[in-house]
Amino acid sequence: MVTTPRLSIDVRSYGADQGADRHDFAQLVLPLSGTLEMDIAGKGDRLGPSRMAFVEAGSPHSQMSDKPNRSLIVDLDPIILEPEVGDRLIRQPFVPLPPAAGKLVDYMGLLVDGGAVSADNLRLWLPLLLDSLVRDPARPPSRLAPLLAVIEPEPGLDWTTGMMAERAGVSVSRLHALFRAELDTTPRAWLAALRLKRVCEWLALSDHPIAEIAYRAGYADQSALTRAMRQSTGLTPAAYRRQRRESRHKNR
């Protein structure tokens, strides 16, 4: 007996929570209009035209809404999914719909509403949708890249947040927002980490006196560097240098 993988699609609306459901096939929930609350194996999120959900086969799930809503529901055999795609959707069951995926959902919604969708339509459409869902979006150009390229070679200069903001052509508050958005840190914390990174490199790879390294990295004196090193690594600059050199000697 020859069996074919399950693949079907329809439009459904949801109301009050009917309790958890589970089934032996996977499911894509692709909202066309309205919103609904969905829980998948204890993880909850709100779905709408810009956010969809993937239900793994056998996973308990429930959904509810107190407003009008319509969603495309794709029931599919997990064997249809490429392993990498399936694993990624299982790890992240709630997925934002990028513009290309949104257009594909709208297109299929029109076909289903018009009764014009065929098995061939569905088989051709699904790979395009999945590809648009899991493809890594192109990252916008970094607003901080030009500034970081200037600071990194000269971390020891007296870089204040005001100077950084002026160099980047933004306000101080906007500079903080950019650092949070792109690097998840503050300008001051990023600069402190960069200075310590350079210090560690110079201690390990050069014979420069520690006091000179402290000055080149922007510390007021050797004592200030020692405090920063102890807080970050638990070692003094001299101990760090000694440890790194002993490690290189053992690995030769």
Side-chain angles (χ1 to χ4, degrees):
M1 178 179 178
V2 177
T3 60
T4 58
R6 177 183 184 127
L7 181 60
S8 63
I9 189 169
D10 64 357
V11 175
R12 299 177 197 168
S13 299
Y14 296 96
D17 189 352
Q18 300 297 311
D21 186 20
R22 68 173 74 212
H23 33 66
D24 60 0
F25 51 86
Q27 197 171 70
L28 298 175
V29 182
L30 305 161
L32 293 168
S33 62
T35 61
L36 65 148
E37 304 291 333
M38 190 160 188
D39 182 280
I40 303 173
K43 296 180 179 179
D45 207 336
R46 172 173 289 184
L47 306 187
S50 62
R51 193 165 186 80
M52 57 82 66
F54 172 78
V55 181
E56 181 184 5
S59 182
H61 59 282
S62 61
Q63 52 279 317
M64 63 167 290
S65 179
D66 58 0
K67 297 179 180 178
N69 61 89
R70 297 174 71 245
S71 296
L72 280 178
I73 306 298
V74 181
D75 297 337
L76 66 155
D77 192 317
I79 199 173
I80 294 174
L81 299 174
E82 293 288 339
E84 182 180 349
V85 173
D87 291 345
R88 185 160 179 177
L89 290 173
I90 289 170
R91 291 195 306 270
Q92 185 181 352
F94 300 104
V95 185
L97 279 174
K103 295 293 185 183
L104 287 167
V105 171
D106 291 342
Y107 166 74
M108 183 54 68
L110 291 173
L111 289 185
V112 173
D113 286 343
V117 63
S118 67
D120 286 340
N121 291 147
L122 190 52
R123 282 194 296 268
L124 292 171
W125 171 82
L126 183 61
L128 294 174
L129 176 70
L130 294 173
D131 180 67
S132 67
L133 289 176
V134 302
R135 179 182 298 164
D136 290 327
R139 292 187 177 183
S142 168
R143 290 288 305 276
L144 291 175
L147 172 65
L148 304 188
V150 171
I151 297 176
E152 287 176 344
E154 297 289 347
L157 297 182
D158 186 21
W159 292 104
T160 64
T161 52
M163 288 174 60
M164 292 184 193
E166 182 178 358
R167 190 66 184 248
V170 298
S171 66
V172 171
S173 60
R174 178 58 177 158
L175 181 74
H176 276 271
L178 288 172
F179 266 86
R180 279 296 179 195
E182 294 190 19
L183 301 176
D184 193 27
T185 188
T186 65
R188 186 178 295 277
W190 175 83
L191 180 60
L194 174 64
R195 285 173 169 171
L196 272 177
K197 179 182 177 181
R198 289 291 181 269
V199 164
C200 290
E201 291 172 355
W202 293 334
L203 288 171
L205 303 175
S206 79
D207 293 320
H208 297 308
I210 293 174
E212 180 183 336
I213 289 176
Y215 173 77
R216 289 179 59 189
Y219 293 92
D221 51 36
Q222 185 171 332
S223 296
L225 171 58
T226 298
R227 288 192 296 271
M229 285 284 293
R230 280 188 184 277
Q231 185 175 3
S232 176
T233 68
L235 300 171
T236 65
Y240 181 87
R241 170 175 273 173
R242 184 167 56 252
Q243 184 182 85
R244 289 299 303 273
R245 289 184 174 179
E246 289 174 355
S247 176
R248 289 209 313 272
H249 180 73
K250 288 178 181 179
N251 292 331
R252 286 178 181 174

